[in-house]
């Protein structure tokens, strides 16, 4: 976490307690420094965030989170025993063998995929665009064969949109590739972040098991009226786990950007300090944004259940419209969280301040269209699907068709964990490049030159240099 540089020699940037000199003139800034101060917003100047005092942010939401955990644990002890005794489990030796073997293969392939992405970033971005078109075409054909006319029309429309999107962004492949390479370099220099990610995945799996016992037991004893609250609980915990990894990754990549000596080993001090901040001072902010998404996800799940039980056509249409509306709301909140948590991890802002400030930054830079680009996410998704298919083939060898399904799921989930770390790193790279391109040039000149060349090629007007 670092403080805001006022672009003078007397005000150094502070990264993890280490002073990093800044300079009065920023030769790589995309706008003159004075232009950012024309319309100050609170304590944010629109140019660069400031390190916040070490205090707990959004405390009420972290307290609420732990209170809700205590309630779920208590309910599990009170009513979960009946659920456990009613279920009998056979010999899980074969299942354990398949999961373990596929897990090892998936982790190995994920590590190899990072090196492959570093070596051939542009080729992978192109393949991802073609992959997206191929998936939309496959869905359109399947819907047409199934005889669902309306859904088939939407499928073919989505296929057409995919082609138009690929054509529109093809000249911006260099931009996506440069961001991906920079993010991968930061992650590989601090690969210990992945340990945090896998640890939280294990916690998420254990939580899912306990939640299912507590929820089934409680609703069996007291009725279904508490279903919504249990759904909120389930999604809230998983969102908190995911966003804690996101904020930790952001802090590590930010330190690597400003002070690479502090973030240049597997388990560097940047990893431990960023994880500590994410789970202490910024935990309330993580709980705040995660709760918003969890509520919307719980409502969508209830609508899915209602839709499956709805007999009338008019009611089904209404439920479908509500699902679409909630889907849009969920997408907006998740997009805000993605960028807000970068500022939470970098500077320790509260959730609302972080969301507001990072959007002001992009508006000042004129980068609102740049952050909507999802080419890197397409690459990561394609990689996860590919690893899932390969581990599925390993599963076939061990356990036949059932082994393929297990291997596919294990491979996809484990690779997605690593890819989510890369995605967080990419988002942080974009924010840091908007704020501090000169520091990047001083600390990582080769990557900086590649980045600036790619941005000039893809966004000549927006990049400004």
């Amino acid at each position: 976490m670092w403080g805001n540089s006022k672009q003078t020699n007397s005000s150094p940037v502070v990264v993890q307690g280490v002073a990093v000199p800044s300079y009065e003139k920023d030769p790589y800034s995309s706008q003159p420094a004075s232009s950012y101060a024309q319309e100050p917003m609170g304590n944010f100047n629109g140019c660069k965030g400031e390190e916040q005092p070490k205090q707990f942010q959004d405390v009420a939401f972290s307290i609420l989170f732990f209170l809700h955990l205590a309630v779920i644990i208590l309910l599990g002890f009170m009513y979960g025993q009946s659920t456990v005794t009613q279920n009998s489990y056979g010999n899980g030796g074969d299942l354990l063998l398949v999961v373990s073997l596929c897990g090892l293969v998936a982790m190995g392939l994920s590590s190899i995929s990072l090196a492959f992405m570093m070596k051939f970033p542009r080729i992978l971005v192109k393949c991802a665009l073609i992959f997206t078109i191929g998936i939309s075409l496959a869905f359109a054909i399947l819907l047409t064969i199934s005889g669902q006319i309306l859904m088939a029309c939407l499928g073919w429309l989505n296929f057409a949109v995919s082609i138009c999107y690929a054509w529109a962004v093809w000249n911006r492949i260099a931009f996506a590739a440069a961001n991906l390479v920079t993010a991968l370099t930061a992650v590989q220099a601090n690969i210990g972040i992945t340990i945090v990610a896998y640890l939280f995945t294990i916690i998420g799996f254990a939580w899912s098991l306990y939640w299912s016992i507590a929820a089934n037991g409680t609703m069996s004893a007291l009725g279904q009226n508490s279903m919504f609250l249990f759904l909120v609980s389930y999604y809230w915990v998983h969102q908190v786990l995911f966003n804690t990894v996101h904020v930790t990754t952001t802090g590590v990549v930010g330190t690597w950007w400003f002070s690479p000596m502090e973030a240049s080993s597997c388990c560097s001090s940047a990893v431990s300090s960023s994880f500590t901040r994410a789970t202490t001072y910024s935990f309330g902010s993580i709980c705040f944004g995660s709760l918003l998404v969890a509520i919307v996800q719980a409502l969508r799940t209830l609508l899915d259940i209602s839709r499956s039980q709805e007999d009338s056509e008019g009611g089904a249409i209404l439920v479908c419209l509500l699902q679409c509306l909630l889907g849009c709301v969920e997408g907006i909140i998740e997009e805000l969280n993605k960028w807000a948590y970068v500022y939470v991890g970098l500077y320790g802002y509260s959730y609302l301040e972080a969301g507001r400030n990072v959007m002001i930054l992009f508006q000042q830079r004129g980068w609102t269209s740049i952050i909507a680009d999802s080419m890197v996410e397409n690459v990561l998704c394609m990689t996860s699907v590919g690893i899932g298919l390969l581990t599925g083939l390993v599963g076939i060898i061990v356990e036949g068709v059932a082994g393929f399904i297990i291997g596919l799921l294990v491979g996809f989930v484990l690779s997605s964990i690593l890819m989510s770390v890369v995605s967080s790193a990419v988002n942080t790279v974009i924010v840091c490049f908007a704020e501090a391109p000169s520091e990047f040039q001083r600390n990582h000149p080769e990557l900086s030159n590649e980045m600036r060349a790619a941005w000039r090629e893809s966004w000549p007007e927006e990049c400004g240099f």
Side-chain angles (χ1 to χ4, degrees), residues 8 30 50-51 99 148 225 252 256 274 283 290 313 318 334 341 348 357 373 413 431 433:
T8 63
S30 63
E50 294 181 349
E51 181 182 5
V99 171
Q148 302 181 43
N225 294 331
V252 173
W256 172 85
S274 297
F283 192 71
S290 300
E313 183 176 349
L318 177 61
E334 288 182 338
Y341 284 135
N357 292 347
D373 206 314
V413 169
V431 172
F433 197 64

Side-chain angles (χ1 to χ4, degrees), residues 55 93 112 133 185 192 197 210 225 246 297 312 376 384 389 405 413:
Q55 61 185 25
I112 294 173
I133 295 173
T185 303
Y210 189 84
N225 294 331
H246 179 25
Q297 289 178 327
S312 64
V376 172
S384 295
L389 292 173
I405 297 174
V413 169

Side-chain angles (χ1 to χ4, degrees), residues 255-291:
T255 305
W256 172 85
W257 187 280
F258 283 88
S259 183
M261 294 300 294
E262 295 294 312
S264 57
S265 63
C266 173
C267 296
S268 62
S269 61
V271 176
S272 58
S273 60
S274 297
F275 176 73
T276 301
R277 288 196 308 271
T279 53
T280 53
Y281 299 116
S282 297
F283 192 71
S285 301
I286 293 172
C287 293
F288 188 179
S290 300
L291 177 60

Side-chain angles (χ1 to χ4, degrees), residues 1-23 48 254-262 436 438-440 442-443:
M1 192 182 297
W2 50 88
N4 178 38
S5 169
K6 297 186 183 301
Q7 306 301 329
T8 63
N9 287 329
S10 60
S11 299
V13 176
V14 177
V15 187
Q16 304 287 351
V18 179
V20 181
S22 61
Y23 300 89
K48 182 183 291 186
T255 305
W256 172 85
W257 187 280
F258 283 88
S259 183
M261 294 300 294
E262 295 294 312
S438 60
E439 285 87 341
F440 189 40
R442 287 197 301 273
N443 295 324

